[in-house]
Amino acid sequence: MSKSPLLNASAAIIYIVLVASVMYYGPQLAGRVDGVIVPIALLSLFVLSAIVMGFLFLYQPMELYFSGEKKEAIRILVRTIGIFGSMTVVILLILFFAHAFI
């Protein structure tokens, strides 16, 4: 991905928003679907999400780590996780306060 922890964490949030939107609106568009296809689709989405998040969080730090820049690799990984965690807390606070005042 990039060496910018903010960009990596933002890309993760955007991916999550897209996946959550598909999961929320998908059943409304597709209607009721019986059979094995739904569990297959959900497990496939889970695996895809693990791969995408692994790439967004780990690709650049691992590349730096194996090229000998271990401190920079750890710095980028920790900052990306910290920024992502902060974004998650902000989203949860917004949802909490929005729900509390409705």
Side-chain angles (χ1 to χ4, degrees):
M1 190 63 199
S2 82
K3 290 185 181 180
S4 168
L6 179 61
L7 182 61
N8 296 341
S10 297
I13 292 290
I14 291 168
Y15 176 75
I16 289 169
V17 168
L18 290 173
V19 169
S21 296
V22 168
M23 291 179 74
Y24 181 78
Y25 292 111
Q28 295 173 7
L29 297 173
R32 182 168 172 78
V33 178
D34 290 325
V36 73
I37 195 69
V38 173
I40 291 171
L42 289 176
L43 286 170
S44 297
L45 180 60
F46 175 71
V47 171
L48 176 66
S49 293
I51 293 166
V52 169
M53 289 299 153
F55 176 74
L56 292 173
F57 281 79
L58 298 175
Y59 174 75
Q60 194 65 44
M62 286 179 64
E63 187 176 77
L64 289 169
Y65 187 86
F66 290 122
S67 69
E69 298 180 53
K70 294 178 180 181
K71 286 185 180 181
E72 180 67 10
I74 292 170
R75 185 188 70 79
I76 288 175
L77 179 62
V78 169
R79 291 180 87 190
T80 300
I81 293 169
I83 291 170
F84 180 78
S86 299
M87 289 177 166
T88 302
V89 168
V90 167
I91 290 169
L92 291 174
L93 288 173
I94 289 169
L95 292 173
F96 173 76
F97 286 114
H99 182 69
F101 292 112
I102 293 178

